[in-house]
Amino acid sequence: MSHGHSHGGGGCRCAAEREEPPEQRGLAYGLYLRIDLERLQCLNESREGSGRGVFKPWEERTDRSKFVESDADEELLFNIPFTGNVKLKGIIIMGEDDDSHPSEMRLYKNIPQMSFDDTDREPDQTFSLNRDLTGELEYATKISRFSSVYHLSIHISKNFGADTTKVLYIGLRGEWTEFRRHEVTICNYEASANPADHKVHQVTPQTHFIS
């Protein structure tokens, strides 16, 4: 199904079109588990630390008690360090049904501690956003550009005309691989996994498919 609009270098599709049961869809957007939240930054957030709250389980995306709102103007800049290498496949940006909803998103890979001054450079991908009130609209990345990402910066550069921007949920879909010097830990979703059971002494990294 086409949405009949352009996305400035990337397409979008409803997550519902993936025809997955909710538990599978929630697993697909499990990359939030692979974010180093202690080091995550959100520049120009009105309340310190609130930017971390929008990276939450897909099933909790409609929880409006966790959100981030911009402070001095409409821009927000998320610096997102991962705990391994990520192949990023898609992003969901959910906001309110008003002009505070983001209208443009610019992605940069592997620029730690990025500042607003750095956003003058060419982004790896830019999306024109539509209002998404349910967390169902996914923007597909150019996987060739985002196949080995250890740090992702999301620049919300515009909204639909409000003085400040409000984001309720950011969902990330893709694959995660943890590299170690002498061993590789294979990620899984067992209820109570023993990490010692999943250490493999070999050179080839093991990839866990989240999507």
Side-chain angles (χ1 to χ4, degrees), residues 18 20 22-31 58 138 172-175 210-211:
R18 295 163 57 84
E20 295 171 337
E23 62 272 14
Q24 289 294 322
R25 199 175 307 155
L27 186 62
Y29 294 98
L31 274 183
W58 188 84
E138 179 188 287
L172 303 174
R173 184 173 66 85
E175 301 168 15
I210 294 181
S211 60

Side-chain angles (χ1 to χ4, degrees), residues 64 94-101 131-133 166 168:
R64 281 171 159 73
M94 178 180 164
E96 295 282 15
D97 188 16
D98 56 30
D99 290 343
S100 71
H101 194 294
R131 288 182 175 89
D132 182 5
L133 314 181
K166 190 172 182 179
L168 298 172

Side-chain angles (χ1 to χ4, degrees), residues 108-177:
Y108 300 83
K109 68 176 182 181
N110 301 341
I111 310 176
Q113 306 296 320
M114 189 170 177
S115 70
F116 282 109
D117 290 339
D118 297 320
T119 60
D120 290 337
R121 69 178 69 190
E122 186 72 19
D124 289 290
Q125 194 167 359
T126 301
F127 296 92
S128 296
L129 305 180
N130 286 308
R131 288 182 175 89
D132 182 5
L133 314 181
T134 60
E136 297 281 351
L137 190 61
E138 179 188 287
Y139 299 88
T141 62
K142 295 178 179 177
I143 297 178
S144 61
R145 293 189 181 182
F146 295 93
S147 61
S148 184
V149 181
Y150 61 85
H151 185 282
L152 177 68
S153 296
I154 301 177
H155 179 211
I156 304 297
S157 51
K158 301 176 184 176
N159 60 27
F160 286 93
D163 292 335
T164 60
T165 295
K166 190 172 182 179
V167 177
L168 298 172
Y169 169 74
I170 296 179
L172 303 174
R173 184 173 66 85
E175 301 168 15
W176 174 86
T177 306

